[in-house]
Amino acid sequence: MLYILTMTLMFGTAMVSRKNKLIGAGGMAVLAYLAGAADPYTTTDYQVYFNHYNIMGLEVSPFEKGYTQLAMLFLNHGMSYAQFRVFFSFLAFLIMYLGVIQFTSNVALYTGLYGVTFFCNDATQIRNLMMISLVLLGAGLLIKPNKYLKLMGIFVFLISTQFHDLGFIFLLIIPLTLIPGAKLKRLIKPLVSLLVLLAGIIVILGKSRIANLMSLFLGKFSSRVDSTTSVTSHFARGISKSSAIEVIVVVLSMVLLAWLFSRIFTIKLKQDIVFYTKFKVLTIGLSISLLTIILIFMSPDYSRISRNASLFMLVLLSLLTEKSEIRLSKNSLASVMIVSIVLFCNTFVNSTIWGSTYTDSIPYILQIKKS
């Protein structure tokens, strides 16, 4: 009931006001509580984190140093895993909030969209939640004109890699922001063609070479002790071609939406440099999802890249809604329908790809059902 009321409030607020940081913050606090107080018996990753938390210091932690050191701090002060998880979740959502408000004041819409799309994934994969929250904050600092804030943004990006290795992929945002927008736009088509070609090569020749290259990279830079083993086993376990194609279609649909938005808002992008800078960084963040095209054939775990990148689309939608005049018309209703269909498909694919154990846990994460 709390979840349903919160989502209703978020979308209702977004319809009547586009400056809603405070109400949006309240909505994020509810999501933080739901993620932190997740049911230990029905949340799929809960027991894994619980077990490792309770034997930290007695084993070599399988997690990245950022997560491990923070967990050790709480454990050494006599805190239970449940207490640590609540703190960790609220901290991650605070960071996410600080990242979102760098781009838009329409936080309620973002919170509502996130709550009905990818929230349950991140409530399950809690390290991923912290990583993508830090990435959003890092991206938000990159748009600032102050060079010290930009440097802080780069530092925040680096910290994200200490909570999940996939943070390394989002480091690409940093150099890409230095390339002029017009040139980036011209690169999209040949880049997609190249990635599709590489995906075909991986399917034909196998995934072992890519896995070995990634293992070599993570062996040098990752703070996770077993990162190379994780890549060669868990992150190279294969995926059905039908599931891989579903993910690729969703990725291309999201990138196509961003391209359509750039055409619709061409005049505003030319007139408003602040809006242009925000739009550029958000579309770069979303475009990182294109890497999923070549990696998804290795393992369903790489669908996280497109899911994480999709949060940039949610921020972009909130920004565009804040800046544009919304009128009831056939065109606006058609746009809402298209966006809704793409987001629904994205959510559906990123839910079913994890199997029935995860999808069955969703009502319990949202506390619609009790175990």
Side-chain angles (χ1 to χ4, degrees), residues 199-236:
I201 292 171
I202 291 173
V203 171
I204 295 169
L205 298 181
K207 55 186 179 291
S208 59
R209 290 186 180 180
I210 297 293
N212 290 336
L213 285 172
M214 293 180 67
S215 296
L216 183 64
F217 174 83
L218 291 175
K220 291 182 180 295
F221 297 104
S222 175
S223 65
R224 185 175 178 179
V225 173
D226 70 339
S227 59
T228 55
T229 304
S230 180
V231 168
T232 54
S233 57
H234 189 63
F235 276 76

Short mmCIF file of all heavy atoms in Angstrom, two decimals, residues 199-236:
data_model
loop_
_atom_site.label_atom_id
_atom_site.label_comp_id
_atom_site.label_asym_id
_atom_site.label_seq_id
_atom_site.Cartn_x
_atom_site.Cartn_y
_atom_site.Cartn_z
N ALA A 199 29.14 -8.11 -32.56
CA ALA A 199 28.26 -9.08 -31.91
C ALA A 199 28.15 -10.35 -32.75
O ALA A 199 28.18 -11.47 -32.22
CB ALA A 199 26.88 -8.46 -31.69
N GLY A 200 28.06 -10.16 -34.07
CA GLY A 200 28.00 -11.32 -34.97
C GLY A 200 29.27 -12.14 -34.91
O GLY A 200 29.23 -13.38 -34.91
N ILE A 201 30.41 -11.45 -34.80
CA ILE A 201 31.70 -12.15 -34.72
C ILE A 201 31.78 -12.96 -33.42
O ILE A 201 32.26 -14.10 -33.41
CB ILE A 201 32.86 -11.14 -34.80
CG1 ILE A 201 32.91 -10.51 -36.20
CG2 ILE A 201 34.19 -11.81 -34.47
CD1 ILE A 201 33.88 -9.36 -36.33
N ILE A 202 31.29 -12.38 -32.33
CA ILE A 202 31.30 -13.08 -31.04
C ILE A 202 30.44 -14.33 -31.10
O ILE A 202 30.81 -15.39 -30.59
CB ILE A 202 30.82 -12.14 -29.92
CG1 ILE A 202 31.86 -11.04 -29.67
CG2 ILE A 202 30.57 -12.91 -28.62
CD1 ILE A 202 31.41 -9.97 -28.71
N VAL A 203 29.27 -14.20 -31.74
CA VAL A 203 28.38 -15.35 -31.85
C VAL A 203 29.04 -16.47 -32.65
O VAL A 203 28.94 -17.66 -32.31
CB VAL A 203 27.05 -14.94 -32.52
CG1 VAL A 203 26.20 -16.16 -32.85
CG2 VAL A 203 26.27 -13.99 -31.61
N ILE A 204 29.77 -16.09 -33.71
CA ILE A 204 30.40 -17.09 -34.58
C ILE A 204 31.65 -17.70 -33.94
O ILE A 204 31.83 -18.91 -33.91
CB ILE A 204 30.76 -16.45 -35.95
CG1 ILE A 204 29.47 -16.04 -36.69
CG2 ILE A 204 31.56 -17.44 -36.81
CD1 ILE A 204 29.73 -15.17 -37.91
N LEU A 205 32.53 -16.83 -33.40
CA LEU A 205 33.82 -17.29 -32.89
C LEU A 205 33.79 -17.69 -31.42
O LEU A 205 34.71 -18.32 -30.92
CB LEU A 205 34.89 -16.21 -33.09
CG LEU A 205 35.17 -15.80 -34.54
CD1 LEU A 205 36.25 -14.73 -34.58
CD2 LEU A 205 35.59 -17.02 -35.38
N GLY A 206 32.74 -17.29 -30.71
CA GLY A 206 32.65 -17.60 -29.29
C GLY A 206 33.04 -16.42 -28.43
O GLY A 206 33.62 -15.44 -28.89
N LYS A 207 32.72 -16.51 -27.15
CA LYS A 207 32.88 -15.39 -26.22
C LYS A 207 34.15 -15.44 -25.39
O LYS A 207 34.45 -14.54 -24.62
CB LYS A 207 31.67 -15.34 -25.28
CG LYS A 207 31.44 -16.65 -24.53
CD LYS A 207 30.16 -16.60 -23.74
CE LYS A 207 29.91 -17.92 -23.01
NZ LYS A 207 29.59 -19.00 -23.92
N SER A 208 34.94 -16.49 -25.52
CA SER A 208 36.09 -16.68 -24.63
C SER A 208 37.13 -15.57 -24.76
O SER A 208 37.72 -15.14 -23.77
CB SER A 208 36.73 -18.04 -24.88
OG SER A 208 37.17 -18.15 -26.23
N ARG A 209 37.40 -15.10 -26.00
CA ARG A 209 38.43 -14.08 -26.19
C ARG A 209 38.04 -12.76 -25.52
O ARG A 209 38.88 -12.09 -24.89
CB ARG A 209 38.68 -13.86 -27.68
CG ARG A 209 39.38 -15.05 -28.34
CD ARG A 209 39.75 -14.75 -29.78
NE ARG A 209 40.41 -15.89 -30.39
CZ ARG A 209 40.85 -15.91 -31.65
NH1 ARG A 209 40.70 -14.83 -32.42
NH2 ARG A 209 41.44 -16.99 -32.13
N ILE A 210 36.75 -12.37 -25.68
CA ILE A 210 36.29 -11.15 -25.04
C ILE A 210 36.38 -11.30 -23.53
O ILE A 210 36.82 -10.38 -22.81
CB ILE A 210 34.82 -10.83 -25.45
CG1 ILE A 210 34.73 -10.58 -26.96
CG2 ILE A 210 34.30 -9.63 -24.68
CD1 ILE A 210 35.44 -9.33 -27.41
N ALA A 211 35.97 -12.47 -23.02
CA ALA A 211 36.02 -12.71 -21.57
C ALA A 211 37.45 -12.63 -21.06
O ALA A 211 37.71 -12.07 -19.98
CB ALA A 211 35.42 -14.08 -21.26
N ASN A 212 38.40 -13.15 -21.84
CA ASN A 212 39.81 -13.11 -21.42
C ASN A 212 40.34 -11.69 -21.39
O ASN A 212 41.11 -11.32 -20.49
CB ASN A 212 40.65 -13.97 -22.37
CG ASN A 212 40.39 -15.45 -22.20
OD1 ASN A 212 39.94 -15.89 -21.14
ND2 ASN A 212 40.65 -16.23 -23.23
N LEU A 213 39.94 -10.87 -22.38
CA LEU A 213 40.36 -9.47 -22.41
C LEU A 213 39.81 -8.71 -21.20
O LEU A 213 40.53 -7.92 -20.57
CB LEU A 213 39.91 -8.80 -23.71
CG LEU A 213 40.68 -9.17 -24.97
CD1 LEU A 213 39.99 -8.56 -26.20
CD2 LEU A 213 42.13 -8.67 -24.88
N MET A 214 38.54 -8.95 -20.89
CA MET A 214 37.92 -8.28 -19.75
C MET A 214 38.56 -8.74 -18.44
O MET A 214 38.77 -7.94 -17.52
CB MET A 214 36.42 -8.56 -19.74
CG MET A 214 35.68 -7.93 -20.91
SD MET A 214 33.92 -8.27 -20.89
CE MET A 214 33.43 -7.34 -19.45
N SER A 215 38.89 -10.02 -18.37
CA SER A 215 39.55 -10.55 -17.18
C SER A 215 40.91 -9.90 -16.97
O SER A 215 41.29 -9.56 -15.85
CB SER A 215 39.72 -12.07 -17.30
OG SER A 215 38.47 -12.71 -17.36
N LEU A 216 41.63 -9.70 -18.07
CA LEU A 216 42.95 -9.07 -18.02
C LEU A 216 42.83 -7.64 -17.50
O LEU A 216 43.61 -7.20 -16.64
CB LEU A 216 43.59 -9.08 -19.41
CG LEU A 216 45.01 -8.52 -19.52
CD1 LEU A 216 45.99 -9.39 -18.71
CD2 LEU A 216 45.45 -8.46 -20.98
N PHE A 217 41.83 -6.89 -18.01
CA PHE A 217 41.62 -5.51 -17.59
C PHE A 217 41.25 -5.44 -16.11
O PHE A 217 41.84 -4.67 -15.33
CB PHE A 217 40.52 -4.87 -18.44
CG PHE A 217 40.14 -3.48 -17.98
CD1 PHE A 217 40.87 -2.38 -18.38
CD2 PHE A 217 39.04 -3.29 -17.14
CE1 PHE A 217 40.53 -1.10 -17.94
CE2 PHE A 217 38.70 -2.03 -16.70
CZ PHE A 217 39.44 -0.93 -17.11
N LEU A 218 40.26 -6.24 -15.71
CA LEU A 218 39.79 -6.20 -14.32
C LEU A 218 40.85 -6.72 -13.36
O LEU A 218 40.92 -6.27 -12.21
CB LEU A 218 38.50 -7.01 -14.18
CG LEU A 218 37.27 -6.40 -14.87
CD1 LEU A 218 36.08 -7.34 -14.77
CD2 LEU A 218 36.92 -5.05 -14.25
N GLY A 219 41.68 -7.65 -13.83
CA GLY A 219 42.76 -8.14 -12.98
C GLY A 219 43.73 -7.04 -12.60
O GLY A 219 44.35 -7.07 -11.54
N LYS A 220 43.88 -6.03 -13.48
CA LYS A 220 44.80 -4.93 -13.23
C LYS A 220 44.17 -3.79 -12.45
O LYS A 220 44.82 -3.11 -11.65
CB LYS A 220 45.36 -4.39 -14.55
CG LYS A 220 46.31 -5.37 -15.27
CD LYS A 220 46.85 -4.73 -16.53
CE LYS A 220 47.81 -5.66 -17.26
NZ LYS A 220 49.04 -5.93 -16.47
N PHE A 221 42.86 -3.54 -12.69
CA PHE A 221 42.25 -2.32 -12.14
C PHE A 221 41.15 -2.54 -11.12
O PHE A 221 40.86 -1.65 -10.33
CB PHE A 221 41.68 -1.47 -13.30
CG PHE A 221 42.73 -0.99 -14.26
CD1 PHE A 221 42.87 -1.59 -15.50
CD2 PHE A 221 43.58 0.05 -13.92
CE1 PHE A 221 43.84 -1.16 -16.40
CE2 PHE A 221 44.56 0.49 -14.80
CZ PHE A 221 44.69 -0.12 -16.05
N SER A 222 40.49 -3.70 -11.12
CA SER A 222 39.37 -3.91 -10.21
C SER A 222 39.86 -4.09 -8.77
O SER A 222 40.91 -4.66 -8.52
CB SER A 222 38.57 -5.15 -10.63
OG SER A 222 37.55 -5.42 -9.67
N SER A 223 39.04 -3.59 -7.81
CA SER A 223 39.34 -3.79 -6.40
C SER A 223 38.71 -5.07 -5.88
O SER A 223 38.83 -5.39 -4.70
CB SER A 223 38.82 -2.60 -5.58
OG SER A 223 37.40 -2.53 -5.63
N ARG A 224 38.04 -5.80 -6.76
CA ARG A 224 37.40 -7.06 -6.38
C ARG A 224 38.40 -8.20 -6.60
O ARG A 224 38.89 -8.40 -7.71
CB ARG A 224 36.14 -7.27 -7.23
CG ARG A 224 35.32 -8.48 -6.83
CD ARG A 224 34.04 -8.52 -7.65
NE ARG A 224 33.23 -9.69 -7.34
CZ ARG A 224 32.05 -9.95 -7.91
NH1 ARG A 224 31.56 -9.10 -8.81
NH2 ARG A 224 31.38 -11.02 -7.57
N VAL A 225 38.67 -8.97 -5.56
CA VAL A 225 39.71 -9.99 -5.60
C VAL A 225 39.42 -11.06 -6.65
O VAL A 225 40.30 -11.50 -7.39
CB VAL A 225 39.89 -10.63 -4.21
CG1 VAL A 225 40.85 -11.82 -4.28
CG2 VAL A 225 40.37 -9.60 -3.20
N ASP A 226 38.14 -11.50 -6.74
CA ASP A 226 37.80 -12.60 -7.65
C ASP A 226 37.18 -12.12 -8.95
O ASP A 226 36.43 -12.84 -9.58
CB ASP A 226 36.84 -13.58 -6.95
CG ASP A 226 35.46 -12.98 -6.74
OD1 ASP A 226 35.35 -11.74 -6.75
OD2 ASP A 226 34.50 -13.75 -6.57
N SER A 227 37.50 -10.88 -9.38
CA SER A 227 36.88 -10.31 -10.57
C SER A 227 37.17 -11.13 -11.83
O SER A 227 36.29 -11.33 -12.67
CB SER A 227 37.33 -8.86 -10.79
OG SER A 227 38.72 -8.79 -10.92
N THR A 228 38.40 -11.62 -11.97
CA THR A 228 38.75 -12.39 -13.17
C THR A 228 38.00 -13.71 -13.21
O THR A 228 37.51 -14.14 -14.25
CB THR A 228 40.26 -12.66 -13.22
OG1 THR A 228 40.66 -13.30 -12.01
CG2 THR A 228 41.04 -11.37 -13.38
N THR A 229 37.88 -14.36 -12.05
CA THR A 229 37.12 -15.60 -11.97
C THR A 229 35.66 -15.36 -12.28
O THR A 229 35.00 -16.14 -12.97
CB THR A 229 37.25 -16.24 -10.56
OG1 THR A 229 38.63 -16.41 -10.26
CG2 THR A 229 36.54 -17.56 -10.49
N SER A 230 35.12 -14.25 -11.77
CA SER A 230 33.72 -13.90 -11.98
C SER A 230 33.41 -13.71 -13.46
O SER A 230 32.38 -14.15 -13.96
CB SER A 230 33.38 -12.62 -11.21
OG SER A 230 32.04 -12.27 -11.40
N VAL A 231 34.33 -13.03 -14.18
CA VAL A 231 34.12 -12.79 -15.60
C VAL A 231 34.16 -14.09 -16.40
O VAL A 231 33.31 -14.34 -17.26
CB VAL A 231 35.17 -11.79 -16.15
CG1 VAL A 231 35.14 -11.76 -17.68
CG2 VAL A 231 34.90 -10.41 -15.61
N THR A 232 35.14 -14.93 -16.13
CA THR A 232 35.31 -16.15 -16.92
C THR A 232 34.29 -17.22 -16.60
O THR A 232 34.08 -18.14 -17.39
CB THR A 232 36.73 -16.74 -16.71
OG1 THR A 232 36.95 -16.91 -15.30
CG2 THR A 232 37.78 -15.82 -17.29
N SER A 233 33.62 -17.10 -15.46
CA SER A 233 32.60 -18.10 -15.12
C SER A 233 31.21 -17.49 -15.13
O SER A 233 30.44 -17.66 -16.07
CB SER A 233 32.90 -18.71 -13.74
OG SER A 233 32.98 -17.69 -12.75
N HIS A 234 30.89 -16.71 -14.08
CA HIS A 234 29.54 -16.17 -13.93
C HIS A 234 29.17 -15.21 -15.05
O HIS A 234 28.03 -15.21 -15.53
CB HIS A 234 29.44 -15.47 -12.58
CG HIS A 234 28.06 -15.06 -12.21
ND1 HIS A 234 27.03 -15.97 -12.02
CD2 HIS A 234 27.51 -13.84 -12.01
CE1 HIS A 234 25.92 -15.33 -11.70
NE2 HIS A 234 26.20 -14.04 -11.69
N PHE A 235 30.13 -14.36 -15.49
CA PHE A 235 29.82 -13.35 -16.50
C PHE A 235 30.14 -13.83 -17.92
O PHE A 235 30.22 -13.02 -18.84
CB PHE A 235 30.59 -12.05 -16.20
CG PHE A 235 29.90 -11.18 -15.20
CD1 PHE A 235 29.93 -11.49 -13.85
CD2 PHE A 235 29.21 -10.06 -15.60
CE1 PHE A 235 29.30 -10.69 -12.91
CE2 PHE A 235 28.56 -9.24 -14.68
CZ PHE A 235 28.61 -9.57 -13.32
N ALA A 236 30.31 -15.12 -18.09
CA ALA A 236 30.52 -15.65 -19.43
C ALA A 236 29.76 -16.97 -19.59
O ALA A 236 30.21 -17.89 -20.24
CB ALA A 236 32.00 -15.85 -19.70
#
